[in-house]
Amino acid sequence: MADSPPAYRAVLDSNVLVAAQRSADPHSPNRELVERWKADEFTFLFSRDTLLEYAEKLLALSVNREDAVEFIALITALGEAVEIEVFHLPHYPADADDIAFLLCAWNGFASHLASYDRDLLDLSSVYESHFKICSPPEFLAALRSVSAPEVPNS
């Protein structure tokens, strides 16, 4: 029987990826999200505009250039590219940089958009019939609730 695709399709705001890349804590929820994506527990959705935002933020916030380039390459290799065809949204965020993430979630039929950005989180009720806008720990809790429990070695 073939493996079914991951149940969740998510867009991660740049603040989540920057936090994951900069964290020295191996138990960081942001790092865990990235590791769960690499383990194919959810589909990482990205668009050209979100990739540009990721690169810009990673480099602006002192993530090593080589690490940033490698991470962007990983996103393009393992993530799912979303072509933006619908540009009209029910409500636009206060920060124009956030539009790319909403458009990616909308056009990519996301289940979740994870962010620490209060402006995006405040829009959750507007978008709730389309996708869930939530904090990274909330999305992580959803992933943990559907992942198979680890079996200890005997």
Side-chain angles (χ1 to χ4, degrees):
M1 180 180 192
D3 287 338
S4 58
Y8 293 126
R9 299 171 56 78
V11 175
L12 303 181
D13 192 356
S14 54
N15 55 43
V16 179
L17 296 186
V18 168
Q21 287 296 105
R22 293 183 76 193
S23 177
D25 180 2
H27 303 291
S28 156
N30 303 302
R31 287 181 80 173
E32 184 178 341
L33 276 177
V34 170
E35 292 307 314
R36 285 178 176 267
W37 160 60
K38 289 178 186 176
D40 204 29
E41 290 187 31
F42 69 94
T43 301
F44 187 132
L45 303 174
F46 69 91
S47 68
R48 272 188 236 136
D49 288 337
T50 62
L51 274 182
L52 288 172
E53 177 78 7
Y54 295 148
E56 194 176 282
K57 295 296 185 196
L58 287 168
L59 294 172
L61 296 170
S62 303
V63 170
N64 175 293
R65 182 175 179 75
E66 202 172 289
D67 291 342
V69 168
E70 184 179 306
F71 193 63
I72 296 297
L74 187 65
I75 292 170
T76 60
L78 300 179
E80 182 179 312
V82 173
E83 195 65 39
I84 306 302
E85 296 176 359
V86 176
F87 291 89
H88 179 75
L89 294 168
H91 189 81
Y92 289 87
D95 182 354
D97 286 344
D98 295 336
I99 294 172
F101 297 98
L102 288 169
L103 286 172
C104 186
W106 187 273
N107 283 268
F109 303 100
S111 59
H112 292 76
L113 191 166
S115 179
Y116 289 108
D117 186 326
R118 178 53 43 204
D119 289 334
L120 278 174
L121 293 168
D122 286 345
L123 294 175
S124 62
S125 64
V126 174
Y127 289 93
E128 69 188 349
S129 64
H130 301 283
F131 51 87
K132 182 174 180 67
I133 300 175
C134 61
S135 69
E138 286 177 273
F139 181 47
L140 189 54
L143 287 172
R144 288 174 177 161
S145 73
V146 297
S147 64
E150 289 186 30
V151 179
N153 292 335
S154 302

